[in-house]
Amino acid sequence: MLRRRAEAAQMGREEGAQRYKMKEKLISIGDDYWIEDEAGKKAYKVDGKALRIRNTLVIQDSEGKDLYKIQERMLRIRDTMEIEKAEGGTAATIKKALITPLRDRWTVQIPDSEDWSIQGNILAHEYRIDAGRDRVAEVSKKWFRLRDTYGVEIAPGHDAALVLAITAAVDQMAHD
């Protein structure tokens, strides 16, 4: 077991972490696309809802069941998106920091939980999502040779669909 942990650490992976593959600049309203797992299987679908007043994305499982709905919040001082659970209720609220001199910064407010922070270069798809001192996920292009592809590595114990919904929302906000 220690050997596996050492090998995973050498590869930059935490044991038990899940990796997903997303396409750069495909996240736009009106576009549908698949998020694949590490084996290349279709794990989640992002359904972009066109012709709505507010930007809306829906994260679905591989069978088409809605898991989360991402909506832009209008008339706010800073960029804000809300992620709602399919059964109702807020899962997370994402806000962009007003002043970010050296790197992009975002805050993710999760009801009844510690806030998460996102820091790094969002446009280059090189950033981390942290809950305090603990890593929730890392987003990076370095794992893939394909130019328009980036990966999301999610630490064990976190809701993969929610983390991917947050990643899709941040990508949408950064590329608007």
Side-chain angles (χ1 to χ4, degrees), residues 13-171:
R13 286 194 68 168
E14 184 175 342
E15 186 175 345
Q18 302 171 19
R19 278 194 181 170
Y20 295 91
K21 185 170 37 173
M22 298 176 81
K23 298 287 185 180
E24 181 181 9
K25 296 182 183 170
L26 286 182
I27 301 174
S28 62
I29 303 305
D31 289 339
D32 298 344
Y33 66 94
W34 285 93
I35 299 171
E36 298 176 356
D37 65 14
E38 193 169 17
K41 293 163 97 178
K42 294 177 179 177
Y44 298 98
K45 181 180 180 183
V46 179
D47 183 8
K49 301 293 185 185
L51 303 173
R52 297 215 177 170
I53 295 172
R54 297 186 291 186
N55 289 343
T56 303
L57 298 171
V58 177
I59 305 292
Q60 301 172 332
D61 66 14
S62 59
E63 282 85 40
K65 178 183 172 204
D66 289 356
L67 302 173
Y68 294 103
K69 180 168 60 172
I70 305 164
Q71 288 193 318
E72 180 180 38
R73 292 294 172 217
M74 307 298 265
L75 304 172
R76 300 280 174 112
I77 292 174
R78 57 184 169 163
D79 291 340
T80 302
M81 281 196 137
E82 189 166 289
I83 300 174
E84 298 172 358
K85 299 173 190 173
E87 62 275 1
T90 300
T93 303
I94 304 163
K95 295 180 181 181
K96 184 176 183 177
L98 283 176
I99 301 171
T100 57
L102 299 175
R103 58 174 53 178
D104 296 320
R105 290 185 317 132
W106 308 72
T107 301
V108 181
Q109 297 169 335
I110 300 174
D112 302 323
S113 182
E114 179 180 16
D115 287 355
W116 293 358
S117 64
I118 302 173
Q119 290 189 17
N121 187 336
I122 305 296
L123 293 174
H125 301 291
E126 296 290 339
Y127 60 92
R128 284 177 52 121
I129 303 172
D130 296 309
R133 295 179 181 246
D134 297 328
R135 181 178 68 97
V136 173
E138 184 176 346
V139 177
S140 180
K141 282 184 154 185
K142 66 185 174 191
W143 301 316
F144 297 99
R145 295 179 194 264
L146 299 173
R147 203 179 72 203
D148 296 336
T149 303
Y150 64 97
V152 180
E153 182 177 273
I154 303 169
H158 294 283
D159 179 353
L162 178 59
V163 174
L164 293 168
I166 290 167
T167 303
V170 168
D171 196 50

